[in-house]
Amino acid sequence: MNYPGSNNIEGGVLIALSGLQDIKVHNDTVELGPGLRWYQVYDALEPYGRLTLGGRLKTIGVPGLSLIGGFHYFINKYGFVMDQIVSYDVILGNGTQITPNRTAHKDLFWALKGGANNFGIVTKFIFKTYAIPQVSSTIQEFNENGIYDFITASTNLAKLDDQKNPIAAGGVLTINYNATTKEVSALLLGLQEGVSNPPSQFANFTAIPGPVKINNVTTAAQWASTLETPNQMFRVMFSHHTIKPDADVLYSLYQAWKSGVDQIADVQVWQFSTGWALEQDDLRVEARSRQLITHLHAENRAKNLSSEFIYMGDAGEWQDPYAGFPPANVARMRAIRAAYDPNGIFSRLNWGGFKLGL
């Protein structure tokens, strides 16, 4: 077996021999088992100076992110994580294994790109890889007096999608509010393709005064190694809606969110407005979250700023991501499900995730 540092990768190199965690590197693709987390993938590709596009935090799993669309740092240039997949191995409800791709089982290949766990069990993914040996990173923190400028810079970053020949760049952007101390802070974890120190696409953030400004040129594997996903230590609920980038509207949402957190400040809140410690507070936090997000979405819809698209990875359990899909696409996905899973194994017996419904 060739070691990952070998120059001969024609025909594939087996990196791991642990069943669900197999990694096999080719010249411009990589085969991945469904038991992998993204930091393992980045580590395996680093010796070749190549990168595939996946999770922004190191311990996110490969299948969960890939089957719901998948955000990553370089989405403005390369599209979603699902757009990087060239082939799946799938076990159907009747036990049959098939390999959907652009030429075989094309309908299922299409449906798996965002269709979640409605069709079968994916036992292997084949991803495109790119020659991206180095990336440029930035870590920046901001105090409360920089929040409006932080939000403005965030909307400008979102508009990178509008460029005809964009430089691949994106980040994880968060605003934190401590309901006890009333302290507000913001954080940018930014990544850009290639060498640029400081990263040019984050200049609007760099211009904002803040207590932390750390820039570096590194590799995707080294960057991911620092981003440990916290273990689940409290109760968390996600929900969201989508709007066009507008700094003033986003700032008003921030203010409404902050006010909403204050109304449940006696709940043991740990992060954002949807992390809390005690089961007894579940219904109260969910009710407040639903009320706030529904109200704000209605306001944005009236301003013609909203989108009905709900990203499955951040959707609340009470939200329906498929309601934001084109109706014709949902009908097509249901027809494909009926063809490949006529007994409804993955609709009736496979709990969890977002189901297509009838």
Side-chain angles (χ1 to χ4, degrees):
M1 181 178 73
N2 292 324
Y3 184 71
S6 167
N7 292 324
N8 178 20
I9 60 175
E10 184 66 41
V13 179
L14 192 63
I15 306 298
L17 294 173
S18 55
L20 297 177
Q21 294 192 328
D22 283 355
I23 302 177
K24 195 172 184 181
V25 180
H26 300 274
N27 281 340
D28 57 3
T29 61
V30 61
E31 299 180 21
L32 304 177
L36 292 163
R37 299 183 185 273
W38 284 106
Y39 75 94
Q40 298 170 293
V41 180
Y42 302 146
D43 285 347
L45 290 172
E46 184 178 35
Y48 305 108
R50 300 194 71 83
L51 175 66
T52 193
L53 305 176
R56 292 174 294 182
L57 297 177
K58 62 182 288 186
T59 49
I60 292 174
V62 168
L65 186 69
S66 305
L67 293 172
I68 63 171
F71 286 143
H72 60 84
Y73 289 109
F74 299 157
I75 194 170
N76 68 303
K77 181 175 181 178
Y78 296 104
F80 286 86
V81 171
M82 66 182 180
D83 296 318
Q84 317 311 314
I85 302 172
V86 298
S87 179
Y88 306 83
D89 279 8
V90 182
I91 303 295
L92 302 179
N94 63 6
T96 302
Q97 178 172 317
I98 60 174
T99 303
N101 54 44
R102 292 187 180 275
T103 58
H105 306 288
K106 294 185 290 185
D107 51 353
L108 184 56
F109 180 68
W110 173 86
L112 287 168
K113 293 180 180 291
N117 62 347
N118 284 281
F119 308 98
I121 299 173
V122 179
T123 58
K124 183 171 71 176
F125 301 81
I126 299 181
F127 276 80
K128 303 174 189 175
T129 63
Y130 300 90
I132 304 179
Q134 290 184 299
V135 294
S136 302
S137 66
T138 187
I139 301 174
Q140 302 190 34
E141 293 183 9
F142 308 91
N143 297 323
E144 184 170 9
N145 56 10
I147 294 297
Y148 182 81
D149 291 336
F150 173 82
I151 289 174
T152 301
S154 302
T155 61
N156 291 332
L157 183 66
K159 293 175 182 177
L160 290 178
D161 293 345
D162 298 333
Q163 299 178 2
K164 291 184 179 179
N165 297 298
I167 296 173
V172 177
L173 302 98
T174 57
I175 297 176
N176 300 300
Y177 174 51
N178 187 314
T180 302
T181 65
K182 308 303 180 185
E183 293 178 339
V184 177
S185 63
L187 175 66
L188 162 68
L189 302 175
L191 205 65
Q192 180 173 322
E193 179 181 19
V195 176
S196 177
N197 194 357
S200 60
Q201 299 303 292
F202 300 96
N204 289 339
F205 293 94
T206 304
I208 306 169
V212 175
K213 305 278 183 179
I214 303 173
N215 302 309
N216 194 20
V217 175
T218 182
T219 68
Q222 292 166 354
W223 168 255
S225 70
T226 67
L227 302 177
E228 186 70 49
T229 308
N231 292 327
Q232 186 69 43
M233 297 175 64
F234 42 85
R235 310 179 74 78
V236 175
M237 178 187 64
F238 291 93
S239 61
H240 83 103
H241 278 290
T242 308
I243 67 167
K244 300 173 185 177
D246 184 297
D248 289 336
V249 170
L250 282 173
Y251 188 71
S252 70
L253 297 182
Y254 152 73
Q255 292 176 308
W257 161 72
K258 185 179 172 185
S259 175
V261 174
D262 282 333
Q263 294 181 34
I264 54 171
D266 58 305
V267 174
Q268 295 186 33
V269 176
W270 293 83
Q271 67 172 29
F272 200 58
S273 61
T274 52
W276 65 102
L278 303 176
E279 183 179 2
Q280 67 196 44
D281 295 316
D282 286 4
L283 294 179
R284 186 178 173 201
V285 175
E286 179 181 349
R288 178 58 193 165
S289 177
R290 291 184 64 167
Q291 179 185 17
L292 177 62
I293 198 169
T294 301
H295 171 71
L296 295 176
H297 181 57
E299 286 192 347
N300 290 327
R301 184 187 290 148
K303 297 173 184 176
N304 199 31
L305 287 173
S306 68
S307 165
E308 297 307 314
F309 172 73
I310 296 175
Y311 174 56
M312 203 175 294
D314 292 328
E317 293 183 4
W318 49 271
Q319 294 183 295
D320 179 11
Y322 296 109
F325 286 24
N329 286 7
V330 176
R332 182 182 176 191
M333 293 173 79
R334 288 172 177 160
I336 293 169
R337 180 187 61 182
Y340 286 92
D341 186 23
N343 295 322
I345 300 299
F346 296 98
S347 300
R348 298 182 296 105
L349 303 181
N350 181 26
W351 293 92
F354 292 97
K355 301 303 183 183
L356 277 166
L358 300 177

